[in-house]
Structures are given as C-alpha cells and as structure tokens.
Amino acid sequence: SITTKLPAAASITLLVEKNPNPFIARFNLGPGCSGFIATRIKMAQPSDIIVIVQSGEKLYSTRKFVEVIAGGCG
C-alpha cells in the first residue's frame, strides 16, 4: 500500500527496478480522492520498488528495497 499526504496528488506510479518491464501501474486520482492505493504485484527477484507521485506540476519519488522469498511472498 502507498499513502501520500501531498496536496492535490493527481497520480501514483509504481515501478520495479529489476523487472523485465519495470512499469507496473499508474493510478490516476480524481479531485477529492485521498492519496492512498493498495495492490499486489509479482516480483521474481529482490528489487527496489519505486513510487512516483504527481502533485500539481511536480513529481516526487521514493524507493524501498523488497526481498523476495523463494516459493512465497516477500
């Protein structure tokens, strides 16, 4: 799950650095929506997950390393 308190967040984009296709999803948020999304993704190997939030005319990003457990969820 991803939460942002940035004002007027217009979109949240998810990328997985080591995936063959790093782009996972983009969630467009309408006016008045809270800056929260929750989803599940599949990863084959440990990698950074990168989140990009568009607020107004600016982009903000952060990343977090996620371990992948063989035969399970990380």
Side-chain angles (χ1 to χ4, degrees), residues 1-72:
S1 66
I2 296 148
T3 303
T4 180
K5 295 189 188 258
L6 291 168
S11 68
I12 298 174
T13 302
L14 298 176
L15 307 167
V16 177
E17 189 173 56
K18 292 187 180 177
N19 269 10
N21 182 3
F23 177 78
I24 300 299
R26 179 177 179 178
F27 299 88
N28 294 316
L29 307 174
C33 287
S34 65
F36 172 81
I37 59 113
T39 190
R40 292 178 180 229
I41 63 173
K42 190 170 186 176
M43 297 171 51
Q45 61 181 317
S47 179
D48 277 344
I49 294 179
I50 303 164
V51 176
I52 302 168
V53 176
Q54 179 183 358
S55 177
E57 297 296 318
K58 295 184 179 182
L59 298 175
Y60 301 86
S61 69
T62 189
R63 63 177 55 218
K64 181 175 183 178
F65 186 77
V66 175
E67 285 287 342
V68 174
I69 300 169

